[in-house]
Amino acid sequence: EILDNLRSIAKEEKLIVDDGALALIAKYGDGSLRDAQVILDQISSFTKGSVKADDVTKILGMVDDEVLFGLSGAICDKDPKEALKIIDELVNNGKDVMQAVTGMIEHFRNISIAKVTKEPGRLIDALSDKVERYRLESAKFTIEQILYIIYTLSNTIDFMRKTDMARIPLEAALVK
């Protein structure tokens, strides 16, 4: 409903907003139509009426899907060097490490949904091409591995809250 409302507003306001951007805005609104509308208004003012998914991730400080899929690929390949390189790039680009961890937890949640359900699109808040990507990614992991990763990342958040060096617990979790 939020996505449809945002589409309607974009059409009325003659904004050029791609579906990926609208989906991210709806998701970031966290169930609040009003919050999503405010975010759309703010982002459209920054982008002068043409909004792409990349604009939304940059402006809101979100971790890009390609980064999350890169991290899950590095974990699957048991390549801690690649995972640490990705985290280093995130930090150097000014991204919030805590947001990276929460993004990864949601990412692996979506992979688990794709792994255990026949219709993951009903439970994953994403466009169909991204849901398909989760389905393909889920084939690379057992459900036990996915749950272990989610559990490890959840514990990492607790550890990060107890230190001023949030990057270190994340790096340790990725190596683990």
Side-chain angles (χ1 to χ4, degrees):
E1 291 174 19
I2 292 172
L3 187 58
D4 288 339
N5 181 271
L6 294 176
R7 276 190 191 114
S8 175
I9 290 170
K11 187 176 180 180
E12 281 178 30
E13 299 294 324
K14 295 179 176 47
L15 302 172
I16 302 165
V17 186
D18 69 35
D19 274 350
L22 289 174
L24 286 172
I25 292 168
K27 179 179 164 183
Y28 201 81
D30 200 29
S32 168
L33 176 59
R34 187 175 56 96
D35 288 353
Q37 291 170 338
V38 168
I39 293 166
L40 175 62
D41 182 51
Q42 291 173 341
I43 290 176
S44 65
S45 69
F46 282 116
T47 59
K48 298 187 177 33
S50 177
V51 183
K52 300 193 179 328
D54 286 345
D55 298 323
V56 176
T57 56
K58 286 177 187 167
I59 291 170
L60 296 178
M62 300 169 82
V63 177
D64 187 77
D65 288 338
E66 294 309 312
V67 170
L68 297 173
F69 279 101
L71 285 167
S72 62
I75 291 169
C76 177
D77 295 341
K78 296 179 175 39
D79 186 353
K81 183 178 176 182
E82 178 63 18
L84 293 174
K85 181 180 139 204
I86 292 169
I87 294 303
D88 188 56
E89 289 173 16
L90 271 176
V91 170
N92 289 337
N93 288 328
K95 297 291 182 184
D96 179 22
V97 179
M98 184 67 85
Q99 199 164 30
V101 176
T102 58
M104 286 183 62
I105 292 170
E106 182 180 11
H107 179 75
F108 277 98
R109 177 253 183 209
N110 292 340
I111 291 171
S112 74
I113 297 297
K115 182 81 172 173
V116 300
T117 64
K118 291 183 179 176
E119 294 182 37
R122 297 182 61 172
L123 297 171
I124 297 173
D125 190 19
L127 299 175
S128 60
D129 59 331
K130 189 171 169 187
V131 172
E132 177 61 16
R133 218 168 152 194
Y134 285 125
R135 192 187 63 71
L136 294 171
E137 194 80 354
S138 73
K140 300 175 185 177
F141 296 93
T142 66
I143 192 63
E144 292 79 16
Q145 289 171 320
I146 297 166
L147 294 174
Y148 176 78
I149 292 165
I150 291 171
Y151 180 77
T152 301
L153 292 170
S154 295
N155 286 335
T156 301
I157 288 177
D158 291 338
F159 188 15
M160 290 170 75
R161 288 183 178 137
K162 295 174 185 173
T163 181
D164 292 333
M165 300 173 286
R167 178 180 181 162
I168 294 171
L170 174 56
E171 290 175 335
L174 291 172
V175 170
K176 182 178 180 184

